[in-house]
Amino acid sequence: MQGIIKTSEGEPAAGIELTMTGGEGDETTTTDENGRWSFSVSEAGSYTVAVTEESLPDGQFLKSVDPRTVDVKLHTVSAALFGLSDEPSQAAPTTEPDDSGEESEGAEATPGANPNAVEGQPAAEAGGDGFSWPRFWQQLASGIRMGLLLSLGAVGLSLVYGTTGLSNFSHAEMLSMGGIFAFLFMQITGNLWLTGLIVVALMAGVGWLQDAVLWKPLRKKRLSLMQMMIVSIGFSIVLQNIFQFFFGANILRIDPSTPKTVRILGVTLTVQSYIAMGIALVLIIAVGLIMKYTRFGRATRAVADNRPLAEASGIDVQRVIRLVWVMGVALAGLSGMLIGLVLNGIAWNTGWHFLLLLFAAVILGGIGTAFGAIVGAMIIGIIVETANIWLPGDLKHAAALFILIVVLLVRPQGLFGRKERIG
């Protein structure tokens, strides 16, 4: 069992004492310099974690003084979540809880179950607590980060649709696969940069293999787009079951070290988040330059615009599609690795939780265009995270999809799509 406690300003709260009851007896621990705490649990059961109020930093108060009771299963990561405020809670009791039996329930915090619960933010800060400028800038930074990471996955999804017409529902599993590869090779190399290069190379090979073994033969058999879409759904389910069979429901931590936080202009993010954002931004710019100025980019745009005409003009359409698969899957795998670092773990179903956001991004931007996918992903990421200020965490995805529906009612082709005549 573990968690992180931050002050109302977002700074790590060190030296806070916590007590866990249950199992073999009471245990006590304190948060480290990064605000993190953990208890080792040797048997499944119900455990209660409470914060010693006297150990809180000056001027900080618990948003709720009730202890957290968590049902812990072995081989899983559970969390008891606590939020701090700079004002005493009016709703919370000032004495110990009574014997009524009412307890605040803890939550299992796993990247697979909640892909946007990044950096261990307390559940009380997960949404609906009201607007403040410091919180707005913090959520905006988180939204930009989410948008950049989504962009890497959305580009491949959009280009595959543009060149083949396939809505590939298995694309999200490439994120999970990239994160799992990163976990495996990090155990071998111990170096994140080398692991990243290996992941990109492996995922590029997976993209080549997918098209050569599965999608190209299906295209030659002239399967309809509906049939191929159903195949992609089945392929997605197969991959999920393979991941779960070999790795179970465990959270795979790519980097087991405690991430350090950095505060810039009032915004606190981990060092890994800043690096991930920088890598994503460089690659997005590179993709834009490739699509606009290289021969491959021009050929890809030609195939997406008019495939028969591109083929008649001498463009090797099958080769372009193969390279699109290679690039798209490689970027999705790297996106999965970066998401795993930001979320402090990857799970067998992490990609599935991002699938709807990926499709929302490419549809909003104009499906089939790389630039539209990037812009759409940025908009979706920012909306999802900033909506957290006013809405509970479970509804922030709904806010992004509501905006998507409104935009499509006004501009059905998306922001960068083109109107097409049908029939």
Side-chain angles (χ1 to χ4, degrees):
M1 190 187 305
Q2 63 183 22
I4 183 171
I5 302 179
K6 294 185 179 181
T7 66
S8 57
E9 291 81 17
E11 296 287 350
I16 295 179
E17 183 179 285
L18 300 95
T19 302
M20 181 184 73
T21 58
E24 299 178 353
D26 296 355
E27 293 185 37
T28 301
T29 189
T30 56
T31 56
D32 61 18
E33 67 275 7
N34 294 306
R36 292 190 175 274
W37 60 268
S38 64
F39 288 106
S40 297
V41 176
S42 59
E43 60 183 28
S46 182
Y47 294 83
T48 300
V49 180
V51 171
T52 303
E53 293 186 70
E54 292 75 13
S55 65
L56 295 177
D58 293 339
Q60 295 295 305
F61 305 90
L62 285 170
K63 292 186 177 180
S64 173
V65 298
D66 293 335
R68 308 294 191 261
T69 300
V70 184
D71 291 328
V72 178
K73 300 178 182 179
L74 293 181
H75 311 300
T76 63
V77 178
S78 300
L81 308 173
F82 298 92
L84 299 184
S85 173
D86 54 5
E87 296 181 0
S89 173
Q90 300 299 321
T94 56
T95 59
E96 292 296 324
D98 56 26
D99 297 329
S100 63
E102 295 182 354
E103 295 176 324
S104 297
E105 292 185 358
E108 280 202 11
T110 69
N114 184 8
N116 294 299
V118 292
E119 301 188 15
Q121 292 181 355
E125 298 178 3
D129 285 346
F131 177 86
S132 67
W133 282 110
R135 188 178 181 200
F136 173 79
W137 296 120
Q138 180 69 45
Q139 295 301 120
L140 180 62
S142 298
I144 293 173
R145 175 187 59 196
M146 180 62 64
L148 289 171
L149 299 184
L150 280 178
S151 296
L152 293 180
V155 165
L157 181 63
S158 186
L159 288 180
V160 166
Y161 179 88
T163 53
T164 67
L166 170 64
S167 297
N168 181 21
F169 281 80
S170 65
H171 189 76
E173 308 317 319
M174 300 301 103
L175 275 69
S176 297
M177 187 179 294
I180 291 172
F181 278 153
F183 166 76
L184 294 175
F185 283 95
M186 186 63 184
Q187 313 303 310
I188 299 173
T189 65
N191 185 289
L192 276 174
W193 296 101
L194 180 57
T195 298
L197 293 175
I198 294 174
V199 167
V200 171
L202 282 176
M203 293 305 297
V206 169
W208 185 94
L209 193 64
Q210 269 193 72
D211 186 57
V213 174
L214 182 59
W215 303 115
K216 185 177 179 179
L218 292 180
R219 289 195 302 270
K220 283 187 174 182
K221 293 181 182 296
R222 298 187 179 277
L223 265 69
S224 69
L225 293 177
M226 178 63 72
Q227 290 172 310
M228 293 184 69
M229 184 181 71
I230 293 173
V231 170
S232 75
I233 295 173
F235 187 42
S236 171
I237 295 173
V238 168
L239 289 177
Q240 288 183 49
N241 281 275
I242 291 174
F243 298 155
Q244 189 177 28
F245 178 79
F246 285 103
F247 300 98
N250 297 337
I251 303 306
L252 310 177
R253 293 193 62 187
I254 299 172
D255 183 4
S257 63
T258 301
K260 296 181 179 179
T261 58
V262 176
R263 188 176 181 86
I264 300 177
L265 298 177
V267 173
T268 303
L269 295 173
T270 62
V271 174
Q272 292 176 342
S273 290
Y274 287 113
I275 294 175
M277 292 167 68
I279 293 173
L281 182 60
V282 169
L283 289 177
I284 289 169
I285 294 173
V287 168
L289 294 176
I290 289 172
M291 295 304 298
K292 190 170 181 62
Y293 296 109
T294 67
R295 184 178 179 182
F296 164 71
R298 290 190 292 269
T300 302
R301 286 185 284 125
V303 173
D305 288 341
N306 193 321
R307 179 173 172 176
L309 181 59
E311 200 161 12
S313 301
I315 295 176
D316 188 344
V317 173
Q318 295 302 324
R319 182 171 180 270
V320 169
I321 293 174
R322 180 68 53 81
L323 291 176
V324 164
W325 274 101
V326 169
M327 182 178 74
V329 172
L331 290 175
L334 181 60
S335 175
M337 175 181 174
L338 297 179
I339 288 173
L341 289 172
V342 169
L343 297 182
N344 202 25
I346 200 82
W348 65 274
N349 61 347
T350 297
W352 177 255
H353 289 280
F354 282 95
L355 177 63
L356 197 57
L357 294 182
L358 291 174
F359 269 103
V362 298
I363 293 172
L364 178 62
I367 190 165
T369 66
F371 298 105
I374 293 170
V375 174
M378 294 301 301
I379 294 174
I380 292 296
I382 291 173
I383 291 175
V384 164
E385 294 299 331
T386 54
N388 224 9
I389 299 174
W390 299 278
L391 299 176
D394 293 341
L395 293 181
K396 61 183 182 180
H397 289 183
L401 299 178
F402 175 76
I403 297 298
L404 170 66
I405 293 171
V406 171
V407 171
L408 293 182
L409 286 173
V410 178
R411 189 176 173 82
Q413 69 272 27
L415 298 177
F416 292 89
R418 298 181 308 168
K419 289 184 178 181
E420 294 184 5
R421 180 178 178 181
I422 300 177

